[in-house]
Amino acid sequence: MNPFAYERASNAAGAVAAVAGHPGAAFLGGGTNLVDHMRLGVASPDLLVDITKLPFDRVEELPSGGVRIGAGVRNSDLAADQLIRSRYPMLSQALLSGASGQLRNLATTGGNLLQRTRCVYFQDVTTPCNKREPGTGCSAIGGYTRYHAILGASEHCVAVHPSDMAVAMVALDATVVVLGRLGERRVKLVEFHRLPGDDPWQDTVLGHGELIVAVELPALPFATRSAYRKVRDRASFAFALVSVAAALDVEGGTVRDARVALGGVAHKPWRATQAEAALRGAPATAESFRRAADAELAAARPLDGNAYKIPMVRNTMVAVLRDLSAEATP
Amino acid sequence: MDARITLHVDGVARSLTVDTRTSLLDALRDHLGAMSPKKGCDHGQCGACTVLLDGRRATTCLAFAVAHDGATIITAQGLANGDGLHEMQRAFLDHDGFQCGYCTPGQICSAVGMLEEAEAGHPSHVTQDLTGPVVLTDDEIRERMSGNLCRCGAYVNIVAAIREVARKEGSA
């Protein structure tokens, strides 16, 4: 591992100034992804600015009925938070399906959003990878693609975003609050992560030195009926092959509104807007749910090793929506 | 680059100088001689290095020691009161909750931390009612302990040991 200097930030503006003014600097949160990358040689910052003592460790109710989550709130604390459990159960479920108990105790909300792909080629510094070393090529294309993207990929990168939490948050229309040298800005989470395009090394729209300070969830009363389902190779402590976060508003057998997002399928947590549009006003039946899934999957482009994800997404989405609509009709 | 830090390990304040690259695990083992946290994968995937860090279970391989200056750490060794074993340690012995023993200190620290999380009412991935009380069924124990691998495959007896302690405490 390359040598690095370490500073513990005592205020957010100071942390931003320290990283923004130093090209090789990085923020250090829970460290569960960054420390590993430094050991693997995937990342080699020469200055770490520790932000874990900043006062961003609260989950607060907003006057609008929404919730503001500090960027430093640990994944375990967010999953266990009473507001989140009762109002946004899909978010608790998504968090609890990620990593392990001891990792969730370390990992933070901001860090979870910024974790990087688990593409095996990205993490193996002996192989070409456009995300890790721009212009070297993509080893996954034509290689082992079982875990890779079926939506929104490019000829330069087919990696998927690994977060569970972000999938639920993107379905919930979350906003990321970001502090930079010029002050705060707000970015919709759905626009926060990027598709790979021609520059897959850019995971998000953050500039160097910009710091996530909070994530805000708007009020969504029907999210009390929401769920996150994750399909993976083993029952626990594994990344998603595919996942579905959904909330359903059903009245008199008709879908009034729906929120659907997918994980494990794209370079970003994938908001399933086509599926949502197909669901609105449709009868709450398995046939409608299948049609909604197919509407979203019409754009899917499988690779050699991951065509299985198309029926897996369809089946998982139908199952989640069916379970949610069954809850609606006692 | 060196940094001077203090760690409170198993009840004793220890000051040491570490290179900033030193993991908390290496600081404990190589600098302070606290050998019960084990290095398994060094990537956060096996749980052998689990300790109670400021009261909560955490992997120490994915933490830099310098970032935990001032922290209070309890290792599996520190759970015992001299020769008097912690009830979780006793239960692992009584149930043969290990074979080679390498993952055992991490398993025991994780189990102790896990029971406190359950007592605080934290749900898990297999909890059906997110807002209801937590009952530590075997499925719950297995899910909550999934961050600790045992390559000998002593899982059946590990679950039995934890179940016994959970029952005594009234959470199962």
Side-chain angles (χ1 to χ4, degrees), chain A residues 258-279:
Chain A
R259 297 294 180 78
V260 186
L262 307 176
V265 298
H267 196 257
K268 59 189 286 183
W270 189 266
R271 179 76 180 263
T273 50
Q274 302 297 319
E276 290 177 6
L279 286 167

Side-chain angles (χ1 to χ4, degrees), chain A residues 139-186:
Chain A
S139 300
I141 295 172
Y144 186 71
T145 52
R146 186 164 176 270
Y147 298 107
H148 292 77
I150 55 172
L151 287 163
S154 77
E155 59 184 311
H156 304 293
C157 181
V158 293
V160 297
H161 196 266
S163 173
D164 298 295
M165 180 195 81
V167 178
M169 283 181 169
V170 90
L172 291 167
D173 249 344
T175 294
V176 186
V177 185
V178 175
L179 183 68
R181 274 191 290 195
L182 303 176
E184 256 186 30
R185 69 181 178 119
R186 301 166 63 82

Side-chain angles (χ1 to χ4, degrees), chain B residues 119 134-136 164-172:
Chain B
E119 201 166 318
V134 170
V135 179
L136 285 180
E164 181 191 291
V165 178
R167 284 207 177 133
K168 275 192 210 152
E169 292 182 357
S171 0

Side-chain angles (χ1 to χ4, degrees), chain A residues 1 4 36 39 102 236, chain B residues 20-21 42-43 143 146 148:
Chain A
M1 192 184 298
F4 63 88
D36 198 31
R39 194 168 284 142
Q102 42 276 67
S236 188
Chain B
T20 53
R21 291 171 286 185
D42 218 20
H43 291 288
E143 163 59 27
S146 70
N148 291 84

Side-chain angles (χ1 to χ4, degrees), chain B residues 4-66:
Chain B
R4 187 82 186 154
I5 62 169
T6 299
L7 300 172
H8 302 267
V9 181
D10 295 335
V12 181
R14 310 281 299 272
S15 291
L16 64 159
T17 299
V18 290
D19 185 291
T20 53
R21 291 171 286 185
T22 310
S23 69
L24 189 53
L25 176 60
D26 287 344
L28 288 169
R29 290 181 58 84
D30 299 345
H31 292 250
L32 299 177
M35 304 307 267
S36 69
K38 297 292 188 281
K39 187 179 283 192
C41 68
D42 218 20
H43 291 288
Q45 297 171 2
C46 77
C49 66
T50 303
V51 302
L52 298 171
L53 173 61
D54 292 326
R56 311 171 78 178
R57 56 180 172 155
T59 48
T60 49
C61 68
L62 293 183
F64 287 124
V66 66

